[in-house]
Amino acid sequence: MSAEIDLTEDAPVVDEVVDEVVDDLIDERSVSLWEGDEGGLEYGQRHALVTLLKQRFISGRTHPRDWRVLVENERVIRGRLNDLFLDLQIDREREVAWKRQASSETGSRFPTLLYDAAWSREETLVLVHLRDRLRAGLAGGDARVFIDRDDIVDHVASFRPPHATDASGDEKRARNAVLSVVKAGLLIPAGADDRFEISEAVEPLLPLELLAELLAALQRANGTAPTGEDEADTELFDDATEGGATGERAATQEEPA
């Protein structure tokens, strides 16, 4: 009895071992991979395409083979994504590639394979902090930038509203936010359980315009009791807002639908 597997879900580590075995059995230059196969891509191109569809991003650091194939075959892979109403985004300087839902020039909506999943309040705080630390480290000449879990959790705690009383619950949400960002691939475990390398993908995946807006809201939320317009801004970081950052200021991640 066979079962279909949803390839849009995050793949387990065992997939990497399976890929190595398949590589040994398949000629990567071959186009026809099974009887009746009418696909037009070679194995390596298909592998890179599927990885890009399954993952939020690929990079030269985390997916060196797929990154190399993508760069060498950008036009054909871009075309396959376009066939699915997806647009390929590439940051060559940081060696990061990701996909976006294509936008119609007429304003009509295309069928979609992705949906915008808003990061929670704590996850958004983590992302902003990571981006700042990454930029500071690279500007200081570091080739790779590392950060400790407690550093991140303390940073999130510094933005707790004055009226917040559930310290243990807030810390738990902050630690869960770290785990979510690790699962997204934006924090890379660095051997020790509490130490991570910050992925170079953090910067291109968190646009400057959104970052500036988030920082402004964070500063207002961390100040004195808000009134008027500022009060609406701090709803993003209010204990009562369990769903976290879900409005226009929310950082979002495009995930498979």
Side-chain angles (χ1 to χ4, degrees):
M1 182 175 179
S2 62
E4 291 187 0
I5 300 175
D6 184 359
L7 293 181
T8 62
E9 294 293 335
D10 288 338
V13 176
V14 71
D15 279 1
E16 297 177 4
V17 179
V18 174
D19 288 341
E20 292 179 3
V21 174
V22 173
D23 287 349
D24 292 337
L25 299 176
I26 294 179
D27 182 355
E28 290 202 10
R29 295 169 297 178
S30 174
V31 172
S32 180
L33 303 179
W34 64 87
E35 185 177 354
D37 177 16
E38 296 188 8
L41 299 184
E42 299 173 358
Y43 172 76
Q45 296 167 336
R46 298 187 195 194
H47 192 287
L49 178 61
V50 170
T51 303
L52 191 58
L53 287 170
K54 289 168 63 176
Q55 306 295 330
R56 292 182 178 89
F57 67 91
I58 65 173
S59 72
R61 166 107 161 78
T62 58
H63 304 84
R65 179 185 59 179
D66 291 320
W67 170 258
R68 184 182 69 252
V69 172
L70 174 63
V71 171
E72 294 174 353
N73 302 272
E74 177 185 343
R75 183 174 180 179
V76 66
I77 293 177
R78 182 183 297 276
R80 291 300 191 275
L81 288 174
N82 292 167
D83 286 340
L84 301 175
F85 301 105
L86 298 175
D87 190 26
L88 176 63
Q89 305 288 315
I90 299 180
D91 186 323
R92 294 184 180 277
E93 180 181 353
R94 299 176 182 84
E95 296 190 342
V96 178
W98 65 101
K99 60 203 177 288
R100 287 278 187 253
Q101 184 64 40
S103 300
S104 169
E105 295 180 355
T106 63
S108 59
R109 294 180 62 84
F110 292 135
T112 178
L113 290 173
L114 306 176
Y115 70 94
D116 282 341
W119 294 100
S120 71
R121 173 191 60 187
E122 288 78 16
E123 290 165 351
T124 301
L125 286 165
V126 171
L127 290 171
V128 173
H129 186 47
L130 295 183
R131 192 181 190 281
D132 285 345
R133 288 292 300 272
L134 179 65
R135 288 177 64 86
L138 295 178
D142 296 334
R144 299 164 64 183
V145 182
F146 296 86
I147 192 168
D148 294 329
R149 188 192 307 270
D150 287 344
D151 181 325
I152 303 173
V153 172
D154 290 344
H155 177 78
V156 174
S158 71
F159 286 94
R160 294 179 66 240
H163 61 272
T165 57
D166 185 10
S168 61
D170 289 341
E171 181 177 347
K172 182 178 180 180
R173 283 188 286 272
R175 292 187 177 276
N176 286 339
V178 174
L179 293 177
S180 295
V181 176
V182 171
K183 183 178 180 181
L186 298 174
L187 276 175
I188 305 169
D193 290 340
D194 293 324
R195 188 162 178 78
F196 306 94
E197 179 181 352
I198 303 175
S199 169
E200 60 283 333
V202 166
E203 191 162 358
L205 293 181
L206 190 61
L208 283 172
E209 181 179 343
L210 174 60
L211 177 65
E213 201 168 351
L214 287 170
L215 287 176
L218 289 173
Q219 290 168 352
R220 287 190 287 268
N222 202 37
T224 57
T227 58
E229 181 181 348
D230 287 349
E231 187 171 1
D233 292 328
T234 59
E235 289 179 2
L236 191 62
F237 311 102
D238 197 319
D239 275 354
T241 313
E242 253 183 62
T246 56
E248 289 184 353
R249 293 182 182 84
T252 60
Q253 49 181 325
E254 288 192 324
E255 295 185 339

